[in-house]
Amino acid sequence: MNIASPQTVYLKDYKPVPYLIDEVSLDFDLAPEATRVSSRLSLRPNEAAGPGGAPLVLAGEKLELKAISIDGKPVDKSRYSVNPSSLTIAEVPQKPFTLEIVTLCNPKANTELSGLYVSNNIFCTQCEAEGFRRITYFYDRPDVMARYKVRIEGPAATCPVLLSNGNPGETRKIPGTDRHFALWNDPHPKPSYLFALVAGDLAHVADSFVTRSGRKVDLRIYVERGKEDRCAWAMESLKTSMRWDEERFGLEYDLDIFMIVAVSDFNMGAMENKGLNIFNDKYILALPETATDVDYVNIEAIIAHEYFHNWTGNRITCRDWFQLCLKEGLTVFRDQEFTSDIRSRAVKRIADVKRLRADQFPEDSGPLAHPVRPASYIEINNFYTATVYEKGAELCRMLLTLIGRDAFRKAMDLYFERHDGEAATVEDFVRCMADASGRDLSQFFSWYEQAGTPEVVVSEKYNEAAKIYELTLEQVTSPTPGQPDKAALQIPLGIGLVGQDGEDLPLDLDGTGTLNEPLIELTEAKKSFRFRNVPRKPVLSLNRGFSAPVRIKSDASMADQLFLMKTDNDTFNRWESAQTAAHALIRADLERFPPKLPDFGDKEALQNISDRASSPARIDSIRAGEARAGVKRAADRKSFITALSAVLNDCEVDLAFKALMLGLPGEQEIATLIGRNVDPGAIHEARERLRATIGSGLKDVLLDLWKMTDAKGAYRPDPEETGRRSLRDAVLYAIAGGDAALGAQLAIEQLARSASMTDEIGALSTLVTLDRPERDAALDAFYACHRNDHLIVDKWFALQASAPLGGTNQRVRELMQHPDFKLTTPNRVRSLVGTLAMANPFAFHAQDGEGYAILADTILALDKLNPQVAARMATAFRSWAMLEEKRQGLAKAQLERILATPGLSRDLFEIASKSLGANG
């Protein structure tokens, strides 16, 4: 494409379409290289769009127009025009009329996997966000909602299954041919991005669900033949989701049938098409010997997410794509609540915050930062981001925290009552929250419009004589692209004042009295809270439950953090204290190597460090200070190990929580907190040293846990057994950090007697961190055993790309030439190059820049085939400006190389130019 002047779309420019579409009839004549699509649209002027007479402009890409008529009469070529992105009819009737269009498209050539494409001989669609325009000319935008009737015709031998949205109608053979057809009718209005079609030779697993009103719903999961035995967990997860949505939100399913189709080539995780969800097969297929615990939990959560979209996304959709968080953020919140209710709420909350900090916090602090509801975009596919999804979910959670669970449910009921069948806005949603609760949420709305992660700075005073504890909080949000000035936000903060016995003290807030809920609200740039009748200086536990997506900056001592780590009644903050302590230990380690001090007689060297010292006496003083700091570091590490040991030995603590307590902060998270002049290699080494300290200092405790978590009985994906296996994997990783030989030995033993894929991947995940001969032999054996299962081969590629070792980049280059690596398969690209760029900071940020070169090479090759995936992978460059000078120059050179390449897609151009422009 020509990117000399890419068009930016602005929220402020929204206008309704001049014509509404009430009914859509589609007739598909399927052929891999020339599918014929006949559309019949019932249109009428839209009075809300203003005076009539506007031309009809319909979006369309990569289509061959064959015929066009209005009210049964062909339209003369002089009355319309076609360009690569649209069809324009200069004059149309200013009354209800029928438009018929016939087009051809080439599904087999569609490597972008947007619109109608062929995957493993299966016809499949992906229409969100703007793929429907590759099927037929249409108002391809979410505020145009219509009822669809679909006829699909195809060869009976290769396409025995013909599926679309809604309820099934007639299916029969066409006399005198080898073809047949199927009819589908969706009675609910929907936007074009929710249209779906699947056709091919598929098997299915069937079940049913009875709604609370007594309606029977047929359930079907379609998969490639021979994989039916891997659908049981997905089906069980679907029924659990349907039951939960009825119980928690009072929402029933509204069609006669609910279908899921699993395909191997898919740009996303899954798609919530009305009544016909299409899934990346990695989120459907599972057996204990092929899928890990993480896979099982992901399947359960993603099936829930897509099903929940039936109401939050389908029945109520977005007015425009700027409102994307209205369906995605809200539905992520709903699926988080679902998992919390059926598994461990505490463990789920920690997992969600880890993901937010790993993905969204870096996004919010870099050149790609944008509000939860962005104000502009060049390519909407680039805004399916952690900010829209994960931070959007956090805003919903804050609303629940502010107005309470009962009022939140009342507000959701009001939202469905007011807006069912509509394309709504964020304002509509927040207005329902305000109306149902009686609270003024006008300040809260700034969370949707303002980018950046607020930092809450804490200062404390305690007046022992008056028994008054004063807490002063100041909120600061750094400038982000296009937003140099930031407004004060409404920040709900869960709070506890912890006494010396580890119990919470009463919260007697001056001017308010005893708080009914342990919650304070920071609504100003700076605010003080005075608590009365506090017998002794408490230890502050703030932002409990991670009540707001903020960073807390505090001068709390290591002793206070370790005290909370052992005693805090809030499970999240107990984990948070361990993370904060680990951060402090790693940062102290990074600062322990000052410039090398010279001999006293080396006058030239002494002169060169005159900024630090001007005499041997001063050097002695510096050395003494560094010795004292070394003693403190050693003492802090010892105290940390003691506190961690207490948690691991506490039989009342959940096993999954123990596993989380053993986990150290991620290297990307540490880098984001440092913020500038970052040396990823030094961070990795410092983190590894703390891992070694844990492994050696807790060796006996860890070995006891290793024995205790040995497998007992058949595999079960329930929370208890999942927690046991997660602790076992964490223990193995820690042991190997302290004793590589022992860790390798235990990993090999686990591989030899593994009872599940979780056991295999757990052992291999530790082995790949060790530069030992057992590693390569184990990986070769794993591939030999599973080479015919594409999902497990994805894991094999990812394991090797995740190795934090010096030879990883060379190995990735070699694997890109492997017969099983295909650039046209998104899962395979993500498993290898995506893992390197987004999950292995040590290798990706190698000092020679090879990691950056691998990513840039892949992106440029992929952009010609699948711009969506290329652009998403390019976001790995987003933090280049915070690196130390040499790595910064190498990464910048690759971004400049990408931008200098002719013919970039709009998707990649936006990501690369913003990444470079905001920093360059």
Side-chain angles (χ1 to χ4, degrees):
M1 64 167 286
N2 180 4
I3 59 169
S5 55
Q7 290 188 343
T8 299
V9 182
Y10 294 95
L11 170 62
K12 63 182 177 61
D13 293 338
Y14 170 82
K15 294 179 181 178
V17 292
Y19 303 94
L20 298 176
I21 303 175
D22 295 317
E23 303 283 345
V24 177
S25 295
L26 297 173
D27 191 320
F28 289 83
D29 187 350
L30 297 176
E33 297 182 8
T35 289
R36 187 180 186 90
V37 181
S38 302
S39 68
R40 187 175 188 272
L41 313 179
S42 298
L43 296 100
R44 58 185 168 88
N46 182 8
E47 295 180 359
L56 177 64
V57 183
L58 302 179
E61 294 179 1
K62 299 189 176 182
L63 299 173
E64 182 182 346
L65 180 62
K66 305 301 290 185
I68 180 170
S69 65
I70 293 178
D71 291 333
K73 297 180 180 179
V75 178
D76 188 86
K77 290 183 178 181
S78 63
R79 293 178 54 198
Y80 68 85
S81 62
V82 177
N83 64 36
S85 62
S86 65
L87 163 67
T88 300
I89 306 175
E91 295 181 3
V92 295
Q94 297 304 297
K95 62 180 181 178
F97 65 97
T98 299
L99 174 67
E100 294 177 273
I101 302 172
V102 180
T103 56
L104 291 179
C105 63
N106 186 344
K108 188 175 180 180
N110 186 356
T111 61
E112 297 181 37
L113 311 185
S114 175
L116 178 64
Y117 64 94
V118 174
S119 169
N120 291 335
N121 299 316
I122 297 170
F123 288 89
C124 183
T125 57
Q126 171 55 37
C127 293
E128 188 175 358
E130 296 176 339
F132 192 75
R133 64 189 62 190
R134 295 175 170 223
I135 295 173
T136 187
Y137 290 101
F138 201 77
Y139 275 138
D140 194 12
R141 43 189 279 178
D143 59 341
V144 178
M145 302 178 71
R147 293 178 173 84
Y148 282 66
K149 293 181 179 179
V150 179
R151 179 184 182 275
I152 309 169
E153 178 184 322
T158 57
C159 294
V161 174
L162 304 171
L163 307 176
S164 191
N165 312 84
N167 295 319
E170 181 184 9
T171 299
R172 62 183 173 86
K173 292 182 178 180
I174 300 174
T177 73
D178 61 354
R179 301 171 71 80
H180 67 149
F181 72 86
L183 303 180
W184 292 86
N185 178 27
D186 187 352
H188 300 283
K190 66 174 180 283
S192 57
Y193 80 86
L194 290 173
F195 171 78
L197 177 152
V198 175
D201 187 8
L202 295 164
H204 77 272
V205 174
D207 206 328
S208 63
F209 179 84
V210 178
T211 68
R212 63 177 183 170
S213 65
R215 291 178 53 250
K216 181 182 177 183
V217 178
D218 290 333
L219 308 177
R220 295 182 187 175
I221 298 178
Y222 289 85
V223 294
E224 294 176 2
R225 293 192 180 277
K227 296 180 179 178
E228 298 93 320
D229 61 340
R230 300 193 191 188
C231 297
W233 179 248
M235 184 65 80
E236 183 61 30
S237 298
L238 174 59
K239 292 190 291 184
T240 303
S241 305
M242 298 175 80
R243 188 178 307 109
W244 182 88
D245 214 17
E246 290 185 347
E247 294 171 355
R248 178 70 185 270
F249 287 101
L251 300 175
E252 279 193 29
Y253 186 61
D254 52 4
L255 290 170
D256 299 335
I257 187 170
F258 185 89
M259 299 170 288
I260 292 174
V261 178
V263 296
S264 55
D265 293 330
F266 204 65
N267 281 345
M268 302 181 182
M271 179 61 209
E272 70 268 18
N273 314 299
K274 181 74 178 181
L276 178 57
N277 287 188
I278 300 177
F279 271 65
N280 188 320
D281 62 1
K282 69 181 291 185
Y283 297 121
I284 291 295
L285 305 177
L287 287 173
E289 58 269 27
T290 65
T292 65
D293 287 338
V294 172
D295 295 325
Y296 273 86
V297 172
N298 284 340
I299 289 168
E300 183 179 69
I302 293 172
I303 282 179
H305 179 94
E306 304 306 330
Y307 173 76
F308 297 155
H309 266 313
N310 187 59
W311 280 91
T312 50
N314 297 3
R315 290 285 289 259
I316 305 177
T317 194
C318 309
R319 185 198 70 178
D320 52 69
W321 288 120
F322 296 101
Q323 321 295 328
L324 183 59
C325 65
L326 183 62
K327 76 181 186 76
E328 294 301 347
L330 177 56
T331 306
V332 169
F333 166 76
R334 279 166 30 83
D335 81 55
Q336 290 175 349
E337 284 294 286
F338 165 75
T339 301
S340 297
D341 283 346
I342 66 172
R343 290 184 176 268
S344 164
R345 180 165 290 273
V347 169
K348 174 60 175 171
R349 189 66 185 130
I350 292 169
D352 290 338
V353 173
K354 286 180 66 177
R355 181 174 182 180
L356 185 80
R357 287 175 173 167
D359 298 337
Q360 198 279 322
F361 276 23
E363 184 171 87
D364 234 355
S365 63
L368 300 181
H370 59 274
V372 171
R373 184 175 72 176
S376 66
Y377 61 79
I378 293 175
E379 172 52 63
I380 184 55
N381 286 316
N382 289 332
F383 283 85
Y384 286 76
T385 62
T387 296
V388 169
Y389 280 65
E390 274 69 44
K391 188 175 180 179
E394 293 299 320
L395 304 198
C396 295
R397 189 172 302 281
M398 281 194 289
L399 285 168
L400 183 147
T401 299
L402 286 166
I403 70 177
R405 183 177 172 120
D406 291 343
F408 188 87
R409 169 61 193 272
K410 182 180 176 183
M412 290 294 292
D413 291 345
L414 183 61
Y415 179 59
F416 297 128
E417 177 185 332
R418 285 181 179 175
H419 301 293
D420 185 17
E422 294 181 359
T425 64
V426 175
E427 285 87 351
D428 295 328
F429 176 71
V430 175
R431 190 177 300 114
C432 289
M433 294 288 154
D435 292 349
S437 65
R439 290 207 57 172
D440 181 358
L441 297 173
S442 54
Q443 184 185 15
F444 182 86
F445 199 83
S446 294
W447 278 101
Y448 284 98
E449 299 178 313
Q450 186 165 287
T453 303
E455 182 176 74
V456 175
V457 183
V458 177
S459 59
E460 306 171 77
K461 292 181 183 178
Y462 178 66
N463 186 325
E464 187 173 4
K467 307 299 182 188
I468 290 177
Y469 170 79
E470 183 173 332
L471 173 66
T472 300
L473 303 176
E474 182 178 3
Q475 58 170 296
V476 179
T477 305
S478 299
T480 55
Q483 293 186 336
D485 302 314
K486 301 294 183 178
L489 298 168
Q490 182 177 14
I491 304 177
L493 294 165
I495 186 173
L497 301 181
V498 185
Q500 293 179 352
D501 59 356
E503 296 299 320
D504 288 355
L505 300 171
L507 296 173
D508 185 359
L509 184 62
D510 191 16
T512 301
T514 302
L515 297 180
N516 294 325
E517 296 290 337
L519 185 76
I520 57 176
E521 294 181 29
L522 177 60
T523 56
E524 304 162 29
K526 189 173 185 178
K527 185 176 182 179
S528 294
F529 303 84
R530 289 164 52 92
F531 295 91
R532 302 172 301 188
N533 303 314
V534 182
R536 294 183 181 84
K537 186 178 186 305
V539 177
L540 174 65
S541 175
L542 191 64
N543 204 26
R544 282 184 157 181
F546 200 72
S547 53
V550 301
R551 289 193 180 99
I552 303 296
K553 184 177 181 180
S554 168
D555 291 330
S557 66
M558 176 65 73
D560 283 349
Q561 297 294 353
L562 299 181
F563 174 74
L564 293 176
M565 179 176 164
K566 292 186 288 186
T567 65
D568 201 325
N569 290 326
D570 183 78
T571 309
F572 176 83
N573 268 16
R574 194 174 182 185
W575 171 81
E576 178 79 316
S577 298
Q579 294 290 291
T580 303
H583 268 293
L585 293 172
I586 292 169
R587 290 290 294 272
D589 195 0
L590 287 169
E591 296 166 2
R592 69 185 287 198
F593 301 108
K596 184 179 178 181
L597 295 174
D599 295 334
F600 294 155
D602 189 344
K603 294 181 180 180
E604 182 179 353
L606 282 172
Q607 182 64 37
N608 289 338
I609 61 164
S610 60
D611 58 329
R612 294 192 68 222
S614 58
S615 68
R618 177 59 179 150
I619 293 174
D620 285 342
S621 175
I622 292 172
R623 282 180 169 146
E626 289 171 348
R628 288 192 296 273
V631 171
K632 184 180 185 304
R633 282 193 299 270
D636 285 346
R637 284 183 174 241
K638 183 177 180 180
S639 298
F640 179 75
I641 293 300
T642 300
L644 185 55
S645 177
V647 174
L648 297 176
N649 283 314
D650 188 343
C651 60
E652 299 297 320
V653 174
D654 177 77
L655 297 185
F657 181 71
K658 289 183 181 181
L660 290 167
M661 292 293 276
L662 266 175
L664 295 174
E667 292 171 26
Q668 178 60 53
E669 182 183 341
I670 298 166
T672 302
L673 284 175
I674 294 173
R676 62 186 180 88
N677 199 30
V678 169
D679 182 342
I683 290 174
H684 173 75
E685 291 167 3
R687 187 177 181 273
E688 283 296 290
R689 284 190 288 271
L690 183 54
R691 176 189 173 197
T693 299
I694 293 170
S696 57
L698 292 174
K699 186 173 183 177
D700 291 341
V701 174
L702 294 170
L703 286 173
D704 286 343
L705 289 172
W706 177 256
K707 295 173 185 175
M708 184 269 287
T709 55
D710 197 10
K712 300 177 180 66
Y715 177 90
R716 302 196 315 273
D718 57 65
E720 292 74 24
E721 279 294 286
T722 299
R724 177 188 65 78
R725 287 185 291 269
S726 68
L727 178 57
R728 187 170 179 80
D729 290 344
V731 164
L732 178 61
Y733 182 79
I735 290 172
D739 187 335
L742 178 59
Q745 176 190 331
L746 295 177
I748 293 298
E749 290 175 2
Q750 177 159 310
L751 280 171
R753 54 192 294 268
S754 62
S756 67
M757 182 55 60
T758 303
D759 291 342
E760 290 191 64
I761 294 298
L764 288 169
S765 295
T766 289
L767 269 179
V768 297
T769 69
L770 308 176
D771 192 7
R772 297 182 59 85
E774 299 96 329
R775 177 173 60 98
D776 291 340
L779 287 167
D780 290 345
F782 183 77
Y783 176 76
C785 182
H786 301 294
R787 63 185 304 167
N788 294 321
D789 189 312
H790 69 280
L791 293 178
I792 303 180
V793 172
D794 284 340
K795 298 180 191 300
W796 178 73
F797 276 103
L799 281 164
Q800 294 172 89
S802 70
L805 301 171
T808 295
N809 286 327
Q810 179 182 347
R811 181 59 178 153
V812 169
R813 287 281 193 194
E814 293 168 356
L815 288 169
M816 291 174 72
Q817 305 304 315
H818 193 280
D820 286 337
F821 182 80
K822 293 183 176 64
L823 205 59
T824 54
T825 303
N827 281 0
R828 192 55 46 85
V829 177
R830 286 186 287 251
S831 68
L832 183 62
V833 184
T835 297
L836 171 69
M838 298 181 179
N840 189 349
F842 177 79
F844 180 58
H845 296 290
Q847 284 187 318
D848 62 0
E850 177 63 2
Y852 310 142
I854 290 172
L855 180 60
D857 290 347
T858 304
I859 287 169
L860 289 172
L862 189 57
D863 192 48
K864 298 181 177 70
L865 302 170
N866 193 325
Q868 283 188 40
V869 177
R872 285 172 190 163
M873 294 188 67
T875 62
F877 281 118
R878 66 191 173 195
S879 301
W880 69 270
M882 74 179 185
L883 299 169
E884 52 80 22
E885 186 176 0
K886 179 181 178 182
R887 288 181 172 92
Q888 189 178 116
L890 292 168
K892 183 180 181 181
Q894 294 298 338
L895 277 170
E896 290 174 336
R897 173 187 159 213
I898 291 170
L899 275 178
T901 302
L904 286 187
S905 69
R906 186 172 61 231
D907 310 58
L908 181 54
F909 172 79
E910 180 173 30
I911 297 298
S913 61
K914 286 183 176 179
S915 297
L916 189 61
N919 290 293

